[in-house]
Amino acid sequence: MEEIEVVVAHSERATLRVGDVFLKIDVDQTRTDVEVRAMALAPIPTPQVLWRKPPVLALAALPGTALGNLGEPSPAAPAAWAAAGAAVRTLHDAPLPPWPGRRLDEIASRLHDECAWLVTNGVLPKDVVTRNRQVAEAALRPWKPVFMHGDLQITHVFVEDDEITGVIDWSEAAQGDAMYDLAVLTLGHEEHLNDLVTGYGTHVDLDVIRGWWSWRSLVAARWLIENGFDPSLPGCEFDVLRARM
């Protein structure tokens, strides 16, 4: 009998693995709608949808292993990171999904609110928050929208023999900034940015990527804490913020 593995679980959603099947349970079915539509449109490998019976979505497991984990050294070779860059470029060159992403004013407003919360509650020193807010400003500029994954964490990209076997968790996919995807994928793994960019194959703005590193780490902190995750662990979000000092 197969064991049930709890991959991730919090108040909004949970993902279970039973053998070669992932069961995703989400209280907000609009996120699942986006995930299914995005995977159907994406020009790169994605998990096979086995069935859907709200609130559950069943997906086939991908071959290979994740590119790495936040807070741990990535075991993937430079060639695997370059392959990831090439896959992201293929996604960004694809036709836009027919739904919009977040507006620039919404992104700026969220940064303001989360920085205020971090300082008011003494979660981080004020100078760390202030400095990273300044760094994040580089990302808050108009961009040409691309087909953006939107949550391209290192654990969401699977590789085998230095080839991409698939990308998971598409619920945040939308029209958005290409640099945001590159930043999220290299968050806490700055040493692999050059390999990723080599595979991506075109100019990237490093200041903007650093800006998104700071933005992501600042705005994610409250949600992580309130849902039982620890952004202060070595190599995680708070270390990313301190590295900008």
Side-chain angles (χ1 to χ4, degrees), residues 165-187:
T165 60
V167 177
I168 65 172
D169 284 7
W170 291 80
S171 61
E172 302 296 325
Q175 299 179 25
D177 183 17
M179 297 301 103
Y180 182 74
D181 272 349
L182 297 178
V184 174
L185 186 52
T186 53
L187 185 75

Side-chain angles (χ1 to χ4, degrees), residues 35-196:
E35 178 158 15
V36 172
R37 293 178 68 193
M39 289 192 295
L41 293 172
I44 59 178
T46 63
Q48 178 188 359
V49 177
L50 300 176
W51 51 265
R52 182 181 180 188
K53 186 176 181 180
V56 183
L57 173 67
L59 302 171
L62 291 170
T65 58
L67 198 59
N69 292 287
L70 183 62
E72 301 174 8
S74 169
W81 279 91
V88 177
R89 176 67 184 277
T90 298
L91 176 66
H92 290 170
D93 285 344
L96 294 173
W99 59 92
R102 289 174 294 187
R103 301 192 313 269
L104 182 56
D105 61 336
E106 295 173 331
I107 293 170
S109 177
R110 188 176 178 194
L111 177 65
H112 171 80
D113 293 345
E114 296 305 320
C115 286
W117 182 86
L118 290 168
V119 173
T120 300
N121 290 276
V123 177
L124 283 168
K126 184 177 180 179
D127 62 336
V128 173
V129 175
T130 300
R131 170 57 183 157
N132 278 276
R133 183 170 181 176
Q134 293 170 346
V135 174
E137 292 291 337
L140 305 183
R141 84 286 176 228
W143 56 73
K144 180 181 178 181
V146 300
F147 190 158
M148 182 183 73
H149 180 279
D151 190 24
L152 199 61
Q153 300 178 48
I154 189 173
T155 54
H156 293 167
V157 179
F158 281 69
V159 297
E160 186 173 58
D161 297 328
D162 297 338
E163 298 291 336
I164 302 302
T165 60
V167 177
I168 65 172
D169 284 7
W170 291 80
S171 61
E172 302 296 325
Q175 299 179 25
D177 183 17
M179 297 301 103
Y180 182 74
D181 272 349
L182 297 178
V184 174
L185 186 52
T186 53
L187 185 75
H189 291 85
E190 301 177 29
E191 68 276 12
H192 296 292
L193 179 59
N194 287 339
D195 296 323
L196 185 76

